[in-house]
Amino acid sequence: KAEREALKAEIARRRKEAKEGGAPTKRKDIIAVSAVVLAIVLLCVLAGGIAGMLYALIPAFLRLFFGILFFSHGLDKMINFNELSYTYPSVLGFGSYMTLMVSIFCEFACSLFLIAGLLVRITVIPMIASMAVAFFDIHDGMFPAGELSLIYMILFVILYITGPGRYSVDYLIDMKFQKDKKASEGVK
């Protein structure tokens, strides 16, 4: 019991640091995410006339980079599942355990689909919801604590709107269906 109380105190201390912006891993993530977003904007500006290939690479790059980052958050939650299951914030009355399970599903499982580019528009819906809850409920819409969840949420909305891009499993499936459709129309 004393061990559980010490664990709860340690997690509470870490949360307090994160809310105050003192968590070094969150700062590194925010800096990395901001640098990537800036690089993508610069690429889009510089790409003006070379739109074809470069334009097709941007969604793939976004999916891979942010999918891997998001996956790492889910993996961390899975590794520390026993400790987090007691202290994870309860959201919308689900309780700590269920909230943690949903969070792991969004951050771990959905990230794998996002990285592969499989069912992207369906996959990002729970990811958007998860980040909206993280930003507005857990972090109370405050900066800098909720900054990373807001960046993720905006990016997932962009991926929902744009789709997975040419370099994805979704694109390959779509090409196969279009090829089959043309073949069946040619038979008639």
Side-chain angles (χ1 to χ4, degrees):
K1 186 158 182 149
E3 190 174 299
R4 183 186 278 179
E5 293 301 320
L7 182 63
K8 283 183 181 181
E10 175 64 20
I11 292 173
R13 184 189 62 76
R14 287 183 186 176
R15 281 201 185 129
K16 184 179 177 188
E17 276 182 8
K19 279 194 174 186
E20 294 169 355
T25 55
K26 287 213 181 219
R27 287 186 188 263
K28 287 178 186 174
D29 283 348
I30 291 169
I31 291 168
V33 168
S34 301
V36 168
V37 170
L38 180 61
I40 290 168
V41 169
L42 287 173
L43 262 170
C44 291
V45 170
L46 296 174
I50 317 170
M53 180 80 141
L54 193 59
Y55 182 73
L57 285 173
I58 291 173
F61 178 74
L62 287 173
R63 281 188 304 100
L64 289 172
F65 184 79
F66 287 100
I68 291 169
L69 278 178
F70 209 58
F71 176 81
S72 70
H73 291 287
L75 186 61
D76 184 50
K77 285 181 177 76
M78 281 183 60
I79 291 169
N80 298 312
F81 183 82
N82 289 335
E83 298 87 30
L84 290 173
S85 62
Y86 296 111
T87 59
Y88 204 73
S90 175
V91 177
L92 304 173
F94 284 121
S96 295
Y97 182 81
M98 187 57 128
T99 304
L100 180 60
M101 293 295 289
V102 170
S103 196
I104 288 173
F105 168 75
C106 291
E107 295 177 9
F108 186 82
C110 291
S111 291
L112 293 175
F113 281 86
L114 181 67
I115 291 166
L118 179 62
L119 304 173
V120 169
R121 287 197 166 116
I122 295 170
T123 299
V124 296
I125 292 171
M127 297 168 91
I128 291 168
S130 173
M131 291 299 96
V133 167
F135 181 70
F136 293 110
D137 190 22
I138 295 172
H139 299 295
D140 297 321
M142 302 297 287
F143 290 96
E147 190 170 345
L148 187 58
S149 53
L150 180 65
I151 290 171
Y152 277 128
M153 182 176 63
I154 290 169
L155 176 87
F156 296 146
V157 168
I158 290 170
L159 283 173
Y160 179 80
I161 293 168
T162 63
R166 184 179 298 160
Y167 302 107
S168 65
V169 176
D170 282 351
Y171 183 79
L172 295 174
I173 292 170
D174 186 44
M175 290 291 98
K176 173 76 171 134
F177 279 124
Q178 286 185 16
K179 188 177 179 182
D180 291 347
K181 184 178 177 184
K182 285 181 183 178
S184 67
E185 287 175 358
V187 171
K188 290 181 183 179

